[in-house]
Amino acid sequence: MKLHKYIPALCLATLALASCEKDGDTIYANGITDTELGTQASDIVLDADRLDALVLSVYWNDNGDISLSDPEVAAPSQVVANTIQFASDEAFANVVDENLNQGIYFRQYTCRALNNIMGRLGLEGGVKATVYVRVKSSLGANIEPKYSNVLTISVTPYLIDLTVGYYLDEGQNETGIILSSPEANGIYSGFVGAASWGHFWLREGNGTIWGNDGVTGTAFVLGNSTTGNDIWNCWYPGVTGCYYVTVDTPANEWSALLIPEITVGGDYSGSMTYDRNSNSWSMNVTAAAAGPAGMTLSTTGKLYNVATGTDDAAAIDTPMYFGIENGVLTFSATPQAPVTVNLAAGENTLVLDLNKPGEWTFATGEAPDVVEVPATVFLPGITEPWDFNSILKLYDEDNRNYGGVNYVKSEWGYQIAVEKDNWADYYSMVDGGTAFSGKLEYQGKTNIAAPAEGIYLFDVSLSGLSYKLTPITSVSYTGLNDDWNIHPMTATDSPCVFTAEMTKTANTPWGVKILLNDSWELFFGGNGTPGELALYRDGFEGDNDFPEGTVIILTVDLAKGTYSYTAK
């Protein structure tokens, strides 16, 4: 499609009526004069292949300064609030408002943003429609606003497909995963292979991005990019595996049904094995003869939602079943008849492919190659003599990111080994790296440069082949007793062990976090296992076991990734 840019001429707007008082006198402001709008283009065709292209710009002069009748009185600046209004009718009965912060006197729209507005107006994709645009200027809540003249333009939106939701990674990048909304009702669902405490966003076809509501901070409560409120990425519980995800945008909440196993019954029986990389389950069977076989597929999932949060103990047991309806594989809470699969004589691999909603398959095929991601890597060489006692723990399985705090006192540099006591399989530094950051290569010739003696936060990506070190200058805790101030911890004779003494005075509903360098960006939480720390996770528990008034000592070993509480 051809894409036209709409660039209206510079428009004029003046000021509103206001009053204030000086020594009992009433001071008057000049009233708002008419705002003049103009345009050089009248026909805009939006193109879904150029979502980030600039298609519309609206400008007007600085009408935020107010002049008063008494020149000795200082007038406030930027008091006029401007709103750009789009409507599908001349009376502006069906209108979309775009509010602007004070001090802003222009607004630019990309193809994606303008098409989103057209969708909110209810315009049909692929059909040219007349759209009306004006500027509303307001000086106060109790003062009648003034409106500019109305621009009339033609816009042809591109078709918005609301049957598909695009699953984005932590950085809002495309993943290739989609969730489906067959009824186009804002409820999207599908199977996702998720990492422990993994993050995601969902983008609808109209460009709206959904994440976790940042106002309440409650797990599984949704917020979106159109409200102007803070939103965070959504996060999974601390269990890696197969999840059936439902994002219910009308209800502003989502849920994650963990599928721990799939049981096969009928002509053949057994348990299927899940591969997260291919988002599929597989099982081997041996058929005495070629022909059709009927098998049932069932599971008892663990449902996490707004009521349960990410608490594993609170997750709801939920029986679910696969079946066939109109030739399409389904997933529901109702027991289903066996699914028929044609087997060859001898060995067969059954594969349940869950990648595309509405196109799931259960048939014979080849089992995927399972890639094992180790839970820890090792740092031989960061102290003398070289050994495998210093570790980094996996915190992002999708990107094979490892992190942790370790004491460094190295003469010859160090390596990153992928298996304990295995000196052959390691990563080393690409030439040009420094002690604090650089690129990695497998079995290279140059050890990773070591920094000066001290304790450091290591952040290593074996997927991105990179490393980063941050010197640790302080260790603190926050969240205990529901107190989110930052409290310093005391170093001990062991370089990575820190303690803090406190009195238990209140419940700790959100757990405790350990902050590094007093930074909310560098922290340890818990991984769901009592006594174990994990990078960039929710707070850990344990202090609520003590009655109020108890003096307790919190001890953390950042090198081992552990914590403990003791009563004094």
Side-chain angles (χ1 to χ4, degrees), residues 27-81:
I27 310 298
Y28 292 96
N30 294 329
I32 298 177
T33 59
D34 292 335
T35 301
E36 298 294 331
L37 293 180
T39 180
Q40 297 175 345
S42 60
D43 192 357
I44 304 172
V45 179
L46 301 179
D47 188 344
D49 294 327
R50 300 184 63 189
L51 297 179
D52 295 324
L54 179 64
V55 295
L56 176 64
S57 299
V58 180
Y59 297 92
W60 57 97
N61 69 315
D62 180 351
N63 63 348
D65 293 331
I66 186 170
S67 60
L68 304 178
S69 58
D70 187 339
E72 297 183 2
V73 177
S77 63
Q78 299 179 355
V79 295
V80 176

Side-chain angles (χ1 to χ4, degrees), residues 95-169:
V95 65
V96 170
D97 287 341
E98 289 286 302
N99 298 318
L100 301 166
N101 294 330
Q102 291 184 356
I104 302 298
Y105 309 110
F106 70 95
R107 181 73 166 94
Q108 296 179 312
Y109 297 89
T110 63
C111 183
R112 187 200 307 273
L114 187 59
N115 202 77
N116 190 11
I117 293 173
M118 299 303 102
R120 291 163 63 188
L121 287 174
L123 302 186
E124 184 179 351
V127 178
K128 181 186 291 188
T130 300
V131 177
Y132 304 88
V133 187
R134 70 185 181 185
V135 172
K136 180 177 75 171
S137 299
S138 303
L139 188 59
N142 298 318
I143 300 174
E144 283 295 320
K146 293 286 282 188
Y147 297 93
S148 72
N149 62 303
V150 177
L151 297 178
T152 302
I153 59 176
S154 294
V155 180
T156 304
Y158 59 80
L159 179 65
I160 298 175
D161 185 1
L162 293 177
T163 66
V164 174
Y166 299 91
Y167 185 95
L168 309 179
D169 68 12

Side-chain angles (χ1 to χ4, degrees), residues 518-538:
D518 291 342
S519 172
W520 292 96
E521 302 298 322
L522 304 174
F523 63 90
F524 285 89
N527 66 0
T529 301
E532 292 189 8
L533 294 173
L535 271 176
Y536 313 128
R537 296 293 180 256
D538 289 344

